[in-house]
Amino acid sequence: MKFMLIMHNNPQIWDALTEEERNEVMSGHGPFMETIKKSGEMIGTTALADPSQSAVVRVRGGVPAVTDGPYLEAKEYLGGYYLVECDSRERALELAALIPDAGVEGLGIEVRPVLFAGTADD
């Protein structure tokens, strides 16, 4: 079964951490990636830039309109994800608990089953 382990970020919570705490979270991703690579459960991972660097494209009347900034004003936003393949939901939950962000008060890892995944080669 494939699962997306989704990391949500909240700038207020992140900014309230000390530099040492932020570095600990960031450096903790390396060992986590090694764990899921060695177990054969890692498919991929992606970290996203701050939403202030995003743009939203809407097409109205056949004309694209581009707006800078995040799609929604929200206190949390998608920070990145791991795509894993494991035997069960329970294992996916175990893996999510190993992601350093899960240990930060006010943050969590969303675990969602994948219904379909494709590649350019499909």
Side-chain angles (χ1 to χ4, degrees):
M1 300 176 68
K2 291 180 183 169
F3 291 89
M4 188 172 280
L5 310 179
I6 305 166
M7 295 169 284
H8 295 277
N9 198 342
N10 181 323
Q12 287 181 319
I13 292 171
W14 187 252
D15 292 344
L17 298 176
T18 66
E19 184 176 349
E20 182 179 328
E21 290 170 325
R22 287 191 298 267
N23 288 338
E24 186 176 320
V25 170
M26 297 305 290
S27 66
H29 284 271
F32 175 72
M33 285 189 280
E34 283 304 312
T35 296
I36 60 176
K37 284 178 185 177
K38 285 181 183 176
S39 69
E41 295 169 306
M42 182 172 180
I43 296 173
T45 185
T46 300
L48 300 174
D50 188 84
S52 65
Q53 298 180 41
S54 68
V56 177
V57 178
R58 294 179 177 88
V59 179
R60 301 294 182 264
V63 178
V66 180
T67 306
D68 289 336
Y71 180 69
L72 296 172
E73 288 297 323
K75 65 179 183 177
E76 291 185 352
Y77 60 89
L78 177 62
Y81 65 87
Y82 289 99
L83 183 59
V84 298
E85 186 161 10
C86 51
D87 292 333
S88 66
R89 179 179 185 268
E90 289 72 25
R91 176 61 179 159
L93 295 172
E94 289 174 12
L95 294 176
L98 297 175
I99 297 173
D101 306 54
V104 176
E105 187 68 36
L107 299 182
I109 307 301
E110 180 181 351
V111 177
R112 190 181 301 180
V114 174
L115 296 179
F116 172 81
T119 67
D121 297 329
D122 292 342

